[in-house]
Amino acid sequence: MKLSAHPADGAAENLQFPGSGEMRNRSAPVEDRLADGDVVSSWKRSSRAGRYAAQHYRRLRRRWRRRVLGPLLLIVSPFLVAAVALTAFSDGWLRWNGGVVLGAGLALFVIAWRTPPQHIESWNNGAEGERRTERELRPLVRSGWHVVHDLDWPGAGNVDHLVVGPGGVFVLDSKAWSGVVNVDDAGATVTPRDNPDAAWTARGQRARQARAGTAVARALASRSGLAVPQPEPVVVVWARFPQRVESAGGVTYVEGEHLAEWLISRPQRLHRDQVAQLAAAADDDLLQLFPRSS
C-alpha cells in the first residue's frame, strides 16, 4: 500500500505564518482546531523527552567533577582551615570573622561544584528544550496524533521527536539556543544578546536531519509494510526567533510556542487508517535495526 496525498478536511484561515503559506484561525485553542478527522483511535506511551541529553549531561558533569575536585579542594582548603582555626581558638569578632570565612569557603566550593563549563551545561539546556517540545505537543497527542520522544539511534545518539499525523511524518530536533536566531540560506545564526560579535551559525543540520529522516522512513516501512514518504525535517527553536517559521536547506525552523499550530496547519497527506498503521509501528526502539552506519 502506497501512501498518497489527500485533500485536507477543511480550509484553514485567518493566520499566516511568516515563511509559510498556511492560514489558520488562531483564536481557538489548539485542541479545538483539531478536526475530527485528525483523531486516531489509540496511541502508545513513549519514553520521556530529553532522556538522552540529560543522561549525557550527567555523565559529562561526573567526569568534570572528578577532574576538578582536587584543584577545587586546594583552592578552598585554606579558607576552611583558617575558618576552623579562628572559630575554635578565638573569641569575639575573630570568631565571628571565622564564621564568615567558613561560610565564604563553603559557598565558593558549592558554586564551583554546581557550575560546569558551558559546553557541558548546554546538554542540560538541550534536555530542557526537548521537554518543552514535549509539553507543546501534548494537545496533539491528546487528540490522537502519535508522538515518540527520544528515539535511540545506534551510532548517532538519538532522534529527539517523531510525530505522525494527518499532515505526514515529521522528524523534530529541539534546540534551546541562547540568543536571537535568524535563519537564511546559510542556516540558523545565533546572536548572543550581550555580545553580538560572538554570533555563530549552526551548520550540518540539513545533513543530519536528512540521515535521520531516511532511517525513520526505512524503519517505519519495514515495520508497517507501507511505502513511507521522506519525513519532513523540523528544528524546534526555543529562543527568540522573530521569523517564527522559516525554511533553509530543506529544513523548516519553527518557534517552539507555535509548533503545534504549525503542525496542524500542514496539508493532509495521510488518512486515519494510515496514521494508525504508522503509529502502531512507531516506538522508541524504532531505529535499533537501522544504525547510522547502515
Side-chain angles (χ1 to χ4, degrees):
M1 178 180 179
K2 185 175 183 180
L3 302 186
S4 58
H6 300 280
D9 290 337
E13 51 186 77
N14 296 346
L15 174 65
Q16 183 170 8
F17 284 97
S20 69
E22 289 70 32
M23 306 286 290
R24 276 181 300 110
N25 180 4
R26 193 181 173 188
S27 60
V30 170
E31 293 93 331
D32 295 342
R33 295 198 301 273
L34 288 164
D36 292 339
D38 291 346
V39 178
V40 179
S41 58
S42 64
W43 54 276
K44 295 193 293 290
R45 184 179 301 276
S46 65
S47 61
R48 181 172 177 80
R51 178 188 57 183
Y52 175 84
Q55 290 176 345
H56 195 66
Y57 165 72
R58 290 192 292 268
R59 183 164 55 251
L60 291 176
R61 186 181 61 180
R62 283 195 301 269
R63 293 175 182 172
W64 172 78
R65 284 180 170 177
R66 286 197 297 267
R67 188 172 65 252
V68 303
L69 179 59
L72 186 58
L73 288 176
L74 286 176
I75 295 173
V76 174
S77 293
F79 288 91
L80 300 181
V81 171
V84 170
L86 288 173
T87 304
F89 303 108
S90 62
D91 54 15
W93 67 273
L94 287 177
R95 176 172 293 182
W96 182 85
N97 283 341
V100 172
V101 172
L102 178 62
L106 292 176
L108 177 63
F109 179 86
V110 171
I111 291 172
W113 188 251
R114 295 173 60 89
T115 310
Q118 181 57 39
H119 73 276
I120 296 177
E121 190 61 32
S122 64
W123 284 94
N124 191 41
N125 296 336
E128 178 56 29
E130 292 179 40
R131 290 189 286 266
R132 293 181 70 180
T133 298
E134 178 187 31
R135 292 192 291 270
E136 180 68 16
L137 292 172
R138 283 176 187 170
L140 276 69
V141 173
R142 289 194 293 267
S143 300
W145 287 52
H146 186 72
V147 181
V148 184
H149 303 287
D150 215 334
L151 289 78
D152 292 327
W153 189 12
N158 75 321
V159 171
D160 289 350
H161 320 272
L162 170 63
V163 178
V164 180
V169 181
F170 303 86
V171 172
L172 277 54
D173 189 8
S174 293
K175 295 297 182 184
W177 285 321
S178 179
V180 181
V181 178
N182 180 74
V183 174
D184 55 24
D185 292 340
T189 299
V190 183
T191 303
R193 295 184 181 183
D194 56 350
N195 188 9
D197 293 335
W200 58 279
T201 300
R203 303 186 185 278
Q205 202 67 49
R206 178 180 182 181
R208 188 183 192 283
Q209 291 283 80
R211 289 193 297 267
T214 299
V216 166
R218 291 174 59 194
L220 284 176
S222 176
R223 283 194 175 185
S224 68
L226 303 178
V228 181
Q230 183 75 3
E232 187 168 351
V234 179
V235 172
V236 185
V237 178
W238 293 106
R240 185 182 173 192
F241 184 30
Q243 295 161 289
R244 293 173 56 191
V245 177
E246 190 61 66
S247 296
V251 177
T252 302
Y253 297 77
V254 182
E255 188 178 35
E257 288 84 355
H258 300 287
L259 176 62
E261 297 176 356
W262 180 81
L263 285 169
I264 64 175
S265 76
R266 312 311 298 155
Q268 184 173 345
R269 300 178 67 191
L270 305 177
H271 281 316
R272 288 166 56 103
D273 59 339
Q274 295 170 330
V275 175
Q277 286 179 272
L278 292 177
D283 211 334
D284 53 9
D285 65 350
L286 177 69
L287 300 178
Q288 292 299 308
L289 298 180
F290 294 88
R292 178 176 174 176
S293 59
S294 64

